[in-house]
Amino acid sequence: MALEPLEAEPTFVLRPMFGTRAAYLDGKLMFCFCARDEPWRGVACGHRPGTACRIAAEFPELTPHPILPKWLYLPETSDHFERTAARLVALARRRDPRIGIIPKPRKRRAAPRERK
């Protein structure tokens, strides 16, 4: 899979997220690698708002995800899956500003109240 080149990056982090493996570089959420049933079998690409058209023009295999349309999706069934995924990972490694989103900070849970 196209994930391996990212592992060499010093800021690379891989975390579980909703049954996928989310890949981060420099704190930005770059990709979700999905290995479930469609529409969760392929690569979901995070991107800055307003860049979807430019990315899709370069990568026509990418379409808005059917459940999360703010993400671009490359289904594993695509004829050019490996090549396209590798090109997307290469863009992420070069820190292409179109790829990746800064995740919202997690909300901290309030301490449980003591019962009287």
Side-chain angles (χ1 to χ4, degrees), residues 3 21 29 37-38 48 53-54 65 82 93 104:
L3 175 66
R21 293 185 299 161
L29 176 53
D37 293 332
E38 282 297 341
R48 279 193 15 228
C53 292
R54 291 186 312 182
H65 191 278
E82 289 294 332
R93 288 189 73 196
K104 293 180 181 175

Side-chain angles (χ1 to χ4, degrees), residues 8 10 16 18-19 27 31 50 57 59 74-75 77 81 90 96-97 105 108-109:
F18 306 120
F31 306 106
F59 299 94
L74 175 65
T77 56
F81 176 79
D96 186 303
R108 290 189 158 197
R109 285 185 159 175

Side-chain angles (χ1 to χ4, degrees), residues 19-116:
T20 69
R21 293 185 299 161
Y24 295 78
L25 284 180
D26 304 329
K28 290 173 71 175
L29 176 53
M30 300 292 195
F31 306 106
C32 285
F33 294 91
C34 316
R36 297 169 41 194
D37 293 332
E38 282 297 341
W40 300 105
R41 187 161 198 84
V43 178
C45 175
H47 59 86
R48 279 193 15 228
T51 61
C53 292
R54 291 186 312 182
I55 296 169
E58 186 173 342
F59 299 94
E61 302 87 2
L62 291 173
T63 59
H65 191 278
I67 308 285
L68 300 171
K70 68 180 183 179
W71 285 74
L72 292 175
Y73 181 61
L74 175 65
E76 192 177 88
T77 56
S78 169
D79 291 339
H80 306 290
F81 176 79
E82 289 294 332
R83 181 178 52 160
T84 302
R87 288 178 56 210
L88 287 168
V89 166
L91 285 179
R93 288 189 73 196
R94 288 195 304 261
R95 307 314 195 260
D96 186 303
R98 299 174 296 174
I99 306 290
I101 56 174
I102 298 172
K104 293 180 181 175
R106 294 177 122 184
K107 293 181 181 178
R108 290 189 158 197
R109 285 185 159 175
R113 289 184 174 176
E114 199 173 295
R115 288 189 158 182
K116 294 182 181 182

